Each structure stands twice: as C-alpha cells, then as structure tokens.
Amino acid sequence: MSKTCLTSQQPQRIVVRGTNWIGDAVMTTPALSALRACYPEAEIVMLANPLVAELFRVHPAIDRVMVYDRKGRHKGVGGFLTMANELRREKFDLAVLLQNAIEAALLAFVARIPCRAGYTTDGRRLLLNAPVTVTAADKLLHHTDYYLQLLGRLGIEGGDGRLCLTIDEQEQAWAESILGDERVIAVNPGAAYGSAKRWIPERFAEVADQLAARYQSRILLTGGPGESEIGQDIAAAMNHDVINMVGQTTVRQMMALLANSRLLVTNDSGPMHVASAFDIPIVAVFGSTDHTTTCPASERVRIVRKETDCAPCLLRQCPTDHRCMTAIEASDVIEAACELLEK
C-alpha cells in the first residue's frame, strides 16, 4: 500500500465521509478518536447525510459537520457537483472515506482533494491514492475493528478504542424535563433497515410490562418517524405507565433520552449502538443480522437469539416465516434483562 500522500506532510484540514446508517456511524467513533489523536491540531470535518450528521454536531473528535443531502439540495448529478464544489472551496488536504461506496471516492476525486484514503471496495481503487485492500478476513471483523483497521493500515493510530457520543447541557436538561429524575427502562421496537430485524411487538409489550412491575420503573418507547404505529400498538397493549416518544424526537433528543436510561431492550438498530456509546446496559434481539459483526461494542450486553437454518440472512424482509424471531420468547428477553439489572 502506498501512503505517499499521507507521509509527505501533516494534513491540516481533514474531511471524513461518514457512513449512511446511524448504527454504523456510531461504530466508526473509535476510528474518529484515533484520527483526532493522530492529528490533534487539524480541523476535522464530518461529511454525512442529515441524520448521521446530527450524531456529530457535538463530538470531541469533530470540529464541525457538513450535510450531504442526496434527497434534497444535493440530489442527482447537479446536486453531486454542487457538493463537490462545496468541498473544493474548503481546500481539504485529506479525505478519509469511511463509507465503502464508489460514490464517496468519486466525490473526493471530483472535489480535487489531494489525498484520498479508504478501503478498495466497490471498484474504487483507481480513485484513491491511499488505498487499503480489503481481505476476506477483514469482512468478518466487528465493524468497530473494521474501521479502526482502515486507519491503522494508514498509520493513523491512537485514542482509547471506545465508542463515544456526547450530549450537551441543554440536551440533558430536555431529557430530564421528559423523564424527570427517574432512570427509565427504554424499549426500541423498530429497526430502520427492514422488518426482518424486528421482533414481535406483542412480546416487547409483555417484556416491558413485566420489567416495569418487577423493578418499579417507567417504560420509555423510542423509535423513528416510520415506526409510530408500532409504538402505539405496544403502548396500547401494556398495563403500565409508558412514555411513548416513538417518532417524536430528533436524533439528538433520542440520544439524550437513551443516555438517561437504566436499560435498553431493542432490536439490532441504530439506537442500540447509541445506547452502547453511553454505556447503557442492553438486551439486543438478533435474528436476520450477524451478531458477530454488528453487536453492541460493550461489555454490558446480552444478545438474545435462536439458532435457525436460515439466519443470518441479512435480508430486509423475511421471505418465509420469520422463524429466527418467532422462536424468541418473552421469557428469554426478560431473563437477559434481569441478569443485567440485578448485576
């Protein structure tokens, strides 16, 4: 691997092309910490879609964010060129491409960023001048290690290797205005990637009711705008007090609520990784996705899954009978939650 553009001079202005999913973006934070440790005096800018950009508006490794809105002002070829021009005017020395798509490398190339570093995925080797080859073994790594390894092979090392997200005092005060001084048990029943990752809503309700009764705790429901119906169904099926915030929060408000929770029960999802970054105990229900590469990077986690002949399939929708999820009983999740709460 050639690192000529990285070793010739210290970059002063760095743009990081972030990943497109919240969960993946959280798992890049150890790599961001390494980047900051290696270049403490550089300006580091996060380029990401509107949702992911919100994660990094307050973050110790990031000085500021640039929003790449491919569904809005940066839509289509014209929008792509507009984004490239915005980047060119910034005069970045280095682009670190955490996103694996060829479009990320093409954007950095068209923006004339002199040093372009990233994995050689999606046929983009010729667009990079600090390329890192991906092996079959690399694809089996946990995502946090996958991104850390990219920077390590570029000679960029440092940081503590831990997930990191932060909220500010105003966001903390807002969370306290919703939750009071009580640390709630949070339940996240959705998953933006697709229905194959979602456990059965009625069983989430049963788990929430039993945990509320056993630990005298209020239940907080979290989730995105497209999951409001799931939240309403779970709230209606429960006998205990529920704070239903599904579809009613920004990304940063969701972060603040989870940071003030005593436990999260969740599908494999973005909020799962957000909670992990705040060191919140997590019970994670896995079915169609691979828990070895995308489980929360935390010691305070219990993975609940059942071995089935078709999982992990990595599909958005189940083409058969969703057996990987229907095999998981409420009692399985309750047992895992009690282990964490009582430990």
Side-chain angles (χ1 to χ4, degrees):
M1 180 195 70
S2 171
K3 295 190 292 184
T4 303
C5 67
L6 277 172
T7 55
S8 59
Q9 61 180 2
Q10 286 280 99
Q12 297 300 309
R13 309 199 71 200
I14 302 170
V15 62
V16 177
R17 176 61 171 104
T19 59
N20 282 336
W21 295 92
I22 284 178
D24 288 343
V26 176
M27 289 187 282
T28 68
T29 57
L32 295 177
S33 296
L35 187 65
R36 170 55 71 198
C38 190
Y39 302 117
E41 303 302 321
E43 181 187 32
I44 301 177
V45 178
M46 172 60 67
L47 176 68
N49 67 39
L51 285 179
V52 170
E54 288 299 302
L55 287 177
F56 299 108
R57 290 200 181 276
V58 180
H59 194 278
I62 301 298
D63 293 299
R64 60 188 173 94
V65 299
M66 293 180 69
V67 177
Y68 185 19
D69 187 1
R70 296 179 62 192
K71 296 181 180 179
R73 66 185 301 266
H74 300 121
K75 184 177 181 179
V77 175
F80 173 89
L81 295 175
T82 296
M83 186 75 256
N85 286 330
E86 292 174 17
L87 290 172
R88 187 180 302 128
R89 288 195 294 269
E90 293 280 347
K91 299 186 183 303
F92 289 113
D93 306 306
L94 168 64
V96 177
L97 309 179
L98 298 180
Q99 188 197 25
N100 288 318
I102 191 171
E103 190 262 2
L106 184 61
L107 183 64
F109 181 83
V110 174
R112 300 177 188 169
I113 299 173
C115 190
R116 302 174 299 280
Y119 278 125
T120 57
T121 49
D122 207 24
R124 63 187 192 174
R125 177 183 289 273
L126 294 179
L127 296 170
L128 304 173
N129 49 16
V132 176
T133 302
V134 179
T135 68
D138 294 335
K139 296 177 181 179
L140 301 177
L141 291 171
H142 190 278
H143 282 13
T144 54
D145 296 322
Y146 176 81
Y147 297 115
L148 272 172
Q149 181 169 267
L150 167 63
L151 270 66
R153 290 183 180 172
L154 293 166
I156 299 171
E157 297 178 334
D160 60 7
R162 297 177 63 85
L163 300 179
C164 176
L165 291 176
T166 57
I167 58 173
D168 61 25
E169 292 182 0
Q170 185 175 359
E171 290 161 346
Q172 174 64 26
W174 177 84
E176 291 174 359
S177 74
I178 300 295
L179 305 177
D181 58 1
E182 181 182 1
R183 291 180 71 82
V184 296
I185 293 174
V187 174
N188 185 76
Y193 181 76
S195 61
K197 295 172 69 171
R198 295 175 187 155
W199 193 41
I200 302 165
E202 293 79 7
R203 296 185 190 177
F204 269 119
E206 182 180 349
V207 168
D209 260 336
Q210 292 207 32
L211 294 179
R214 184 174 301 192
Y215 297 101
Q216 292 78 53
S217 181
R218 297 177 76 192
I219 300 297
L220 166 71
L221 298 181
T222 64
E227 299 161 354
S228 297
E229 186 175 346
I230 298 173
Q232 292 168 4
D233 290 344
I234 292 174
M238 288 182 57
N239 299 316
H240 288 80
D241 187 22
V242 177
I243 306 170
N244 184 4
M245 299 299 290
V246 179
Q248 300 184 50
T249 62
T250 65
V251 170
R252 295 205 61 83
Q253 287 172 336
M254 176 267 290
M255 291 166 59
L257 291 175
L258 291 178
N260 285 273
S261 300
R262 64 188 295 198
L263 175 79
L264 173 65
V265 180
T266 180
N267 295 314
D268 175 18
S269 62
M272 175 187 75
H273 294 288
V274 169
S276 182
F278 287 109
D279 198 29
I280 303 303
I282 299 167
V283 177
V285 180
F286 271 76
S288 64
T289 48
D290 185 356
H291 68 287
T292 65
T293 59
T294 62
C295 68
S298 167
E299 294 181 358
R300 300 207 291 172
V301 173
R302 295 291 183 275
I303 303 298
V304 181
R305 60 183 295 271
K306 298 290 186 179
E307 291 287 346
T308 58
D309 55 0
C310 53
C313 66
L314 308 182
L315 298 175
R316 287 178 181 263
Q317 285 83 36
C318 178
T320 57
D321 55 6
H322 214 196
R323 67 191 67 174
C324 62
M325 285 300 195
T326 57
I328 298 172
E329 300 291 343
S331 58
D332 298 320
V333 176
I334 292 167
E335 180 181 357
C338 291
E339 285 181 11
L340 286 171
L341 288 169
E342 293 170 13
K343 183 177 180 181

